[in-house]
Amino acid sequence: MRNKKVVLGISGGIAAYKCAELTRRLKERGCEVKVVMTDSAKHFITPLTMQAVSGEMVSDSLLDPQAEAAMGHIEFAKWADLILVAPATANIIAKMAAGIADDLLTTLLLATDADVAIAPAMNQQMYAHAATQANLHTLNARGVQIWGPGSGEQACGDVGAGRMLEPMELVELVCAEPVEQLLKGKTVTITAGPTREPLDPVRYISNHSSGKMGYALAEAALALGANVNLISGPVNIKAPANAQVFAVQSALDMHNQALTLAPQSDIFIGCAAVADYRAADIAEQKMKKQGDELTLTLVKNPDIIADVAALTQNRPFTVGFAAETQDVATYAKGKLKNKNLDMICANDVSVQGQGFNSDDNALTLFSAHDEVSLGLMNKSKLALTVMKEIATKLI
Ligand code: PMT
């Protein structure tokens, strides 16, 4: 990645102060960095600081004859391998979505055919606003990469999603190797998260699945060029912007959605922690406390992945997960065979720091003729490795 030519477009948010560090780190990694600032960015960090760290004149005006003589704005737009807008405020995101070109940065963004990435940074309410979300969706559909935002405490005191990613996180994204589009033109359907089996209007049976593993698989499939359907039980994480999300609650809902989408899919992955049983009867009113014991009658839910694997027409390549606390390989291989799967990802969920609701995981992938062990790593990296393994089986 040495000599990657990056235009860093700084817009006017408090996170602009992190751009000095970002520039220094990009240069350490061998990137050439030219800085463009909007007028409001200059309230948060000075052009002089950015000039000192980038070692280049900072550009900030479309109508500056001297700057245009040195490198015209069209030439500038052509020079870049990547234009990274960081921080990207709600305002510049809206301008980009609308195609407004009223200063140097927005003009470069229209005039370039380089990759464009933005690192959103704003108040959490502004980020959640329907207008901002619609603008991000528009940009994403046009191929703009949206990096972040992170969540946490904000400069204004609010807590939530809207923090600019840290400089080193952005550096890693800028310098990441391009991913081969191994699944271009393929449709991947993934189930993720838990199911909720209602007992009455206020209570349900569920489990600890956070959806992180399934959502990471969806991100990975998108990165490899696939169209992604994500059938998700109730979770509290953000869905990948480009996936088609189908929100469901119970195993029966998930079963219906899965059997609708599976025949239109090339690959089906069952990562959801589906409840094996549901209440035989759901009380219409909140159940009253009675006596010291309560006996519930449960009935078996349909086995979603087994039904997908049993399709006789348009059967997708079918991958299951096996969450086990003992004899992991034996049980996983049993499920591979009994459910007629093409591959199963054995997940030892008895080990601290992996499995349910953790950021990291370790898996062993079993198929009829081979076995691949993937040690502990973050779920994003693991998901990409799993998706690449699946892709190689299809090629
Ligand atoms: O969501 P996270 O917090 O990130 O956690 C990830 C995970 C631990 C949930 C995930 O890695 C995982 O192991 N998912 C499978 C959980 C599970 O229910 O495993 P199982 O061994 O009970 O089921 C075997 C397979 O059958 C799974 O593919 C499951 O989706 C599927 N199944 C199970 C029951 C059912 N009625 N229908 C199904 O399709």
Side-chain angles (χ1 to χ4, degrees):
M1 276 302 123
R2 291 202 79 74
N3 300 327
K4 188 164 190 175
K5 296 183 178 109
V6 181
V7 168
L8 175 60
I10 309 178
S11 68
I14 179 66
Y17 81 90
K18 296 183 181 174
C19 287
E21 171 77 357
L22 173 60
T23 304
R24 257 172 29 88
R25 299 294 176 199
L26 285 171
K27 285 178 65 79
E28 273 172 15
R29 292 285 283 269
C31 297
E32 286 181 57
V33 183
K34 289 188 190 292
V35 176
V36 177
M37 298 178 75
T38 65
D39 282 343
S40 44
K42 290 184 266 178
H43 292 286
F44 295 96
I45 188 163
T46 66
L48 193 59
T49 303
M50 293 312 301
Q51 182 181 319
V53 288
S54 68
E56 303 258 359
M57 286 296 290
V58 169
S59 305
D60 55 7
S61 169
L62 188 58
L63 306 171
D64 177 349
Q66 221 180 339
E68 278 293 301
M71 190 186 241
H73 63 273
I74 300 293
E75 211 182 327
F76 205 160
K78 286 189 177 146
W79 173 85
D81 296 316
L82 171 75
I83 301 188
L84 168 61
V85 183
T89 59
N91 183 50
I92 198 156
I93 289 169
K95 284 199 210 174
M96 287 172 75
I100 292 171
D102 64 352
D103 62 7
L104 179 60
L105 180 55
T106 48
T107 304
L108 289 184
L109 286 161
L110 277 191
T112 193
D113 64 356
D115 292 339
V116 175
I118 61 172
M122 67 198 76
N123 166 267
Q124 51 85 25
Q125 200 70 48
M126 293 171 78
Y127 176 69
H129 195 283
T132 306
Q133 288 302 314
N135 290 333
L136 287 168
H137 193 79
T138 302
L139 293 182
N140 197 279
R142 279 186 208 147
V144 172
Q145 300 175 62
I146 296 165
W147 292 345
S151 279
E153 197 169 328
Q154 303 199 292
C156 55
D158 278 10
V159 177
R163 285 168 61 96
M164 186 173 91
L165 292 186
E166 293 303 323
M168 279 317 290
E169 291 176 292
L170 291 173
V171 170
E172 291 306 328
L173 288 162
V174 170
C175 297
E177 294 290 342
V179 181
E180 206 185 332
Q181 300 290 281
L182 295 171
L183 294 176
K184 198 166 181 61
K186 305 278 184 212
T187 298
V188 181
T189 297
I190 299 166
T191 67
T195 62
R196 280 184 186 172
E197 309 304 324
L199 300 176
D200 70 11
V202 298
R203 302 184 179 93
Y204 55 81
I205 302 172
S206 191
N207 58 66
H208 294 294
S209 172
S210 62
K212 288 178 189 171
M213 190 70 237
Y215 278 48
L217 287 165
E219 289 278 11
L222 287 166
L224 296 183
N227 305 314
V228 176
N229 299 317
L230 180 58
I231 307 174
S232 177
V235 297
N236 291 314
I237 53 176
K238 199 169 157 269
N242 264 354
Q244 276 271 100
V245 181
F246 300 85
V248 296
Q249 293 281 324
S250 67
L252 288 181
D253 298 340
M254 189 174 274
H255 184 262
N256 278 340
Q257 198 60 71
L259 270 292
T260 304
L261 294 171
Q264 308 155 26
S265 308
D266 300 286
I267 299 167
F268 183 92
I269 307 176
C271 184
V274 185
D276 288 322
Y277 294 89
R278 67 181 185 279
D281 296 301
I282 303 168
E284 271 181 34
Q285 305 300 333
K286 183 182 169 199
M287 293 189 294
K288 291 289 163 213
K289 202 185 321 180
Q290 286 172 351
D292 291 339
E293 288 182 1
L294 172 70
T295 304
L296 294 171
T297 304
L298 303 179
V299 292
K300 209 169 183 181
N301 273 324
D303 192 316
I304 300 168
I305 201 140
D307 286 352
V308 169
L311 286 173
T312 48
Q313 284 188 333
N314 300 322
R315 177 190 182 278
F317 186 88
T318 308
V319 180
F321 269 69
E324 307 293 347
T325 55
Q326 57 176 334
D327 298 331
V328 179
T330 311
Y331 284 124
K333 285 183 193 166
K335 287 176 182 171
L336 176 71
K337 190 158 175 274
N338 298 336
K339 297 186 190 223
N340 187 32
L341 307 177
D342 298 299
M343 183 191 276
I344 196 152
C345 310
N347 200 167
D348 185 341
V349 292
S350 68
V351 179
Q352 275 280 336
Q354 67 182 50
F356 285 96
N357 202 14
S358 62
D359 290 333
D360 300 327
N361 206 3
L363 296 169
T364 306
L365 316 184
F366 293 103
S367 45
H369 305 295
D370 56 14
E371 173 179 335
V372 178
S373 277
L374 305 172
L376 190 69
M377 61 186 106
N378 72 55
K379 284 181 177 171
S380 300
K381 195 168 169 198
L382 182 63
L384 195 58
T385 314
V386 171
M387 287 311 311
K388 284 182 180 169
E389 276 294 324
I390 294 171
T392 56
K393 300 251 181 258
L394 290 186
I395 293 166

